[in-house]
Amino acid sequence: MSKESTYIPKSGFSKWFDQRLPLPRMLHDNINAFPTPRNLNYWYTFGGILTFCLVTQIVTGIVLAMHYTADAGLAFASVEHIMRNVNYGWLIRYIHAVGASMFFLAVYVHIFRGLYYGSYKAPREILWILGVVIYLLMVITAFMGYVLPWGQMSFWGATVITNLFSVIPVVGTTITEWLWGGFAVDNATLKRFFSLHYLMPFMIFGVVILHIWSLHVTGNNNPVGVSVKEKQDTVPFAPYYTVKDAFSLVCFLILFAWFIFFNPNILGHTDNYIMADPLVTPAHIVPEWYLLPFYAILRAIPSKLGGVLVMGAAIAILFILPWLDTSKVRSATFRPLYKQFYWIFVVNCIALGYLGSQNPEGLFLVASRICTAYYFIHFLLVLPILGLVEKPKPIPESITKAVLEKMEIRNMKEKSAEA
Amino acid sequence: MSDKDPKQPSRRDFIFLATGAFAAVGAASIAWPIVDQMNPDATALALSKIEVDISQLERGQAITVKWRGKPVFIRRRTEEEIQMASRVDIDSLPDNNARNYNLSPDSAASDENRSLDENGEWLVMVGVCTHLGCVPKGQSLGDSKGDFGGWYCPCHGSHYDTAGRIRKGPAAKNLDIPAAEFINQNVIRIG
Ligand code: HEM
Ligand code: FES
């Protein structure tokens, strides 16, 4: 953080400690006292929720790894052993499996929040890019984790995804066989996936630290998208946002708990309770729900190499988003046209998710192609052009002004309602 | 070489470069084992050959066997299936290479080049969709065989004809034909 420190050591010991390792000072300045815009809404609580999710996955994952066996002959049985024999094994596994879905739910809210309020724009480009890196690492981690129970979906999902690398010209097959450690997905593949599935969350943790560091250099964006100008635009993080984040987290946990205790398997696929069989492909291979939009894009393109490239581009385009959007106005609140296109884009993404779960034939295929095309049109045409033609609404002078104005309007409405 | 002239490379520059080069070679030589350990190991490479008894197979029937961790389709085709496959104009195929390990790599995808025997009755292929590796349907009687009467991959909708050639869908290549031969009337060796 570039602001001055407000940490005052209280005891002799903390003073002594501060001169040797100013860790409490760093935590105080970055958590307790961190000046945060006073107008953040609940969409801004998902960063805290995401941190909670990461810690949850790491804790439950380490416990699962104590009982799990990474061997093609034993893995499936060891997961059943966790479910039936290990004390609270069912609970820990369901927290981990549902937790992956909740993690993605939270990250999608977080990303779409950023898209709505223009959080990717200067000076937060690096912050945004680090976020996309985290998302990418999450996708890889979850994919490898899903292989570990060694059910039919595990096996065939792994087969389809690793085969994506075989489209690379000339060296494709060599790379795929290198990834497999054989001539098909097999024991060697399972073992390396387990090793990497254990490693990657800690890499994510590292990038999260960079992400938050960058956040604390630029400061939070906020719903009106106007930069912080004076002290009264902000409040200290504690207690204002610790409380808001905690409340939001509790609501999130209610949903989380509902899945764990009432419907733990609804987000998964029943075929994954059948042990992997290399000779039989399930009639209908689908990835977990959070990857369906990309699966729809992959299958919308009638060429193998093309499908893989376009799917890669769908994520890659997020990296250059800060330079595709030509509008200087951050928040969609003051961009009447962007606001509408934003919601079309949201619906388009949900539609892609639905199409990813359907057989790629007939009308579904046509629809996937249209939606895939629109996904790119949004980034490559709509965003650059909107910034040039759109006339933004008047932008408030400051965060405080915007907040006070909103309160005034509310007061006036209440008064007229009374009258 | 003189240490005095600032324009000339000095002894120190030389030592600097030599040290750097040495470290780079050292790093590369330890990186390679770490990369290569992931490649198929000796057990995976051990040349696996299997022998399959096909004496029970009637025309129109098919079996699937496992070879190198992958399914291999063996089909004894009907006259009609052979006719359907040989009528096709090779130039109109998405992939006009035979993809037959037993022939030279540039052989054309004619029906004769795809089948194992002279009559064209026997078709032996790796049952792995060349798109993203699913096992296509079409081996069992009740299976959907796709628009060309051969195999249909339900994963992303690839259609193969009765010679295992790709006809429609995202896959780009014909189903691979592995090293295979008749060692007698009743036994096929794969691998
Ligand atoms: C970013 C964080 C993580 C994500 C998104 C994630 C995701 C997943 C997913 C989707 C599964 C499959 C669940 C199922 O259907 O059974 C899984 C399984 C597993 N994960 Fe993770 N995981 C994460 C962190 C970790 C960590 C840190 C460890 C170990 C230290 C771990 C160990 C395991 C084990 C042993 C399994 C197999 C048991 C099972 O299938 O339930 N995970 N993970
Ligand atoms: S794997 Fe067969 S069509 Fe994709």
Side-chain angles (χ1 to χ4, degrees):
Chain A
M1 213 190 41
S2 41
K3 322 276 183 311
E4 288 138 52
S5 175
T6 56
Y7 178 68
I8 302 158
K10 291 205 182 68
S11 64
F13 173 73
S14 49
K15 199 165 170 197
W16 177 88
F17 197 90
D18 186 50
Q19 282 159 353
R20 284 154 183 81
L21 178 70
L23 182 67
R25 173 183 299 275
M26 201 261 285
L27 294 178
H28 170 88
D29 290 342
N30 280 288
I31 297 174
N32 291 353
F34 185 65
T36 316
R38 58 191 281 178
N39 60 339
L40 299 189
N41 55 25
Y42 277 105
W43 300 115
Y44 279 78
T45 60
F46 280 81
I49 289 174
L50 282 164
T51 313
F52 173 86
C53 287
L54 179 59
V55 173
T56 305
Q57 291 306 94
I58 290 179
V59 171
T60 51
I62 289 174
V63 174
L64 285 173
M66 294 177 186
H67 305 279
Y68 170 79
T69 313
D71 180 284
L74 305 169
F76 186 81
S78 81
V79 172
E80 284 314 300
H81 161 74
I82 291 172
M83 294 299 287
R84 291 157 197 242
N85 307 331
V86 175
N87 302 330
Y88 290 109
W90 60 272
L91 177 63
I92 292 158
R93 171 159 182 256
Y94 279 154
I95 294 177
H96 195 79
V98 172
S101 278
M102 297 305 286
F103 202 167
F104 277 94
L105 177 67
V107 87
Y108 284 134
V109 173
H110 195 66
I111 291 173
F112 278 98
R113 184 283 320 262
L115 292 177
Y116 190 83
Y117 294 121
S119 302
Y120 48 86
K121 294 185 191 185
R124 296 186 184 79
E125 300 94 327
I126 296 291
L127 178 57
W128 171 261
I129 288 172
L130 287 170
V132 182
V133 170
I134 293 171
Y135 173 65
L136 203 61
L137 291 174
M138 275 174 65
V139 168
I140 301 170
T141 309
F143 160 68
M144 292 189 172
Y146 194 59
V147 177
L148 303 185
W150 209 240
Q152 273 290 66
M153 278 298 161
S154 300
F155 183 90
W156 290 101
T159 298
V160 167
I161 300 301
T162 48
N163 262 305
L164 293 180
F165 292 91
S166 70
V167 302
I168 302 169
V170 190
V171 290
T173 314
T174 316
I175 291 184
T176 317
E177 284 172 1
W178 177 75
L179 284 173
W180 288 334
F183 301 101
V185 172
D186 211 334
N187 193 36
T189 326
L190 173 61
K191 283 180 165 332
R192 65 192 54 181
F193 277 18
F194 177 54
S195 171
L196 296 174
H197 183 67
Y198 207 134
L199 166 71
M200 302 227 357
F202 296 92
M203 292 171 64
I204 295 179
F205 203 93
V207 186
V208 167
I209 289 176
L210 296 182
H211 187 71
I212 294 177
W213 183 5
S214 168
L215 170 72
H216 283 200
V217 172
T218 62
N220 292 76
N221 184 27
N222 63 82
V224 294
V226 181
S227 302
V228 169
K229 293 198 177 100
E230 46 200 2
K231 194 154 185 291
Q232 48 167 328
D233 286 345
T234 66
V235 288
F237 193 82
Y240 295 97
Y241 286 113
T242 41
V243 169
K244 192 163 184 144
D245 278 357
F247 179 71
S248 187
L249 178 61
V250 169
C251 296
F252 183 80
L253 285 178
I254 292 173
L255 181 66
F256 199 156
W258 180 79
F259 277 119
I260 295 169
F261 294 108
F262 293 96
N263 230 332
N265 288 309
I266 189 161
L267 298 168
H269 202 293
T270 41
D271 273 3
N272 224 26
Y273 283 102
I274 303 169
M275 192 173 152
D277 180 351
L279 296 189
V280 183
T281 308
H284 195 50
I285 299 190
V286 276
E288 295 278 85
W289 69 269
Y290 40 81
L291 300 178
L292 286 173
F294 296 107
Y295 200 52
I297 293 177
L298 172 72
R299 301 188 303 176
I301 310 293
S303 114
K304 182 169 159 182
L305 183 59
V308 175
L309 289 179
V310 173
M311 184 178 71
I315 293 188
I317 205 162
L318 294 173
F319 283 104
I320 53 165
L321 170 62
W323 296 275
L324 290 175
D325 188 341
T326 48
S327 170
K328 292 276 173 289
V329 180
R330 291 199 192 102
S331 173
T333 313
F334 306 106
R335 299 186 58 191
L337 290 178
Y338 174 67
K339 200 189 227 166
Q340 294 171 32
F341 281 105
Y342 171 85
W343 287 110
I344 296 175
F345 181 71
V346 172
V347 171
N348 190 62
C349 288
I350 295 172
L352 276 173
Y354 170 74
L355 292 166
S357 71
Q358 300 300 315
N359 257 344
E361 280 181 328
L363 270 183
F364 290 127
L365 186 59
V366 178
S368 322
R369 290 191 176 149
I370 296 173
C371 291
T372 301
Y374 188 76
Y375 181 92
F376 288 97
I377 288 174
H378 177 82
F379 287 111
L380 295 175
L381 286 177
V382 174
L383 288 185
I385 294 175
L386 268 193
L388 305 177
V389 302
E390 183 180 47
K391 194 172 174 298
K393 289 197 211 157
I395 290 161
E397 267 163 57
S398 73
I399 294 175
T400 308
K401 275 252 169 65
V403 172
L404 294 180
E405 231 164 67
K406 216 174 163 185
M407 277 164 68
E408 244 161 54
I409 295 173
R410 196 186 299 155
N411 286 345
M412 261 156 60
K413 271 193 191 146
E414 268 167 24
K415 274 206 192 106
S416 61
E418 275 164 29
Chain B
M1 274 207 290
S2 150
D3 283 355
K4 306 275 145 52
D5 183 352
K7 284 204 189 78
Q8 289 292 311
S10 65
R11 278 161 195 264
R12 184 157 291 179
D13 287 337
F14 173 76
I15 292 173
F16 199 70
L17 278 176
T19 313
F22 197 77
V25 170
S29 62
I30 192 63
W32 176 244
I34 290 175
V35 170
D36 191 41
Q37 54 80 24
M38 278 178 65
N39 272 320
D41 64 17
T43 54
L45 284 176
L47 237 195
S48 59
K49 283 185 195 290
I50 55 168
E51 287 174 8
V52 187
D53 178 1
I54 42 112
S55 56
Q56 302 300 314
L57 228 59
E58 301 286 343
R59 294 195 84 166
Q61 288 186 329
I63 52 169
T64 306
V65 295
K66 196 168 158 189
W67 172 69
R68 279 183 155 184
K70 297 177 186 184
V72 170
F73 293 167
I74 302 178
R75 175 169 215 103
R76 188 171 178 192
R77 298 187 296 172
T78 60
E79 200 53 50
E80 196 192 338
E81 286 169 336
I82 301 172
Q83 287 302 319
M84 261 166 76
S86 30
R87 268 203 304 268
V88 181
D89 174 17
I90 298 174
D91 293 324
S92 72
L93 293 169
D95 176 15
N96 44 33
N97 187 295
R99 305 282 165 201
N100 188 339
Y101 187 86
N102 306 292
L103 302 177
S104 69
D106 52 358
S107 310
S110 63
D111 191 57
E112 300 86 72
N113 283 347
R114 299 276 304 165
S115 51
L116 190 62
D117 59 325
E118 235 140 72
N119 302 335
E121 247 180 69
W122 294 94
L123 201 58
V124 177
M125 316 180 293
V126 176
V128 172
C129 178
T130 59
H131 181 227
L132 296 173
C134 293
V135 180
K137 298 270 169 218
Q139 286 292 89
S140 312
L141 283 176
D143 281 357
S144 149
K145 290 178 162 43
D147 294 355
F148 299 88
W151 287 264
Y152 171 67
C153 183
C155 289
H156 319 96
S158 286
H159 300 253
Y160 296 90
D161 67 10
T162 51
R165 296 172 298 200
I166 181 68
R167 300 294 289 277
K168 193 175 135 190
K173 290 187 203 159
N174 303 328
L175 292 176
D176 272 322
I177 296 180
E181 60 178 340
F182 276 98
I183 49 176
N184 61 47
Q185 241 181 328
N186 295 329
V187 179
I188 295 178
R189 177 161 61 205
I190 301 169

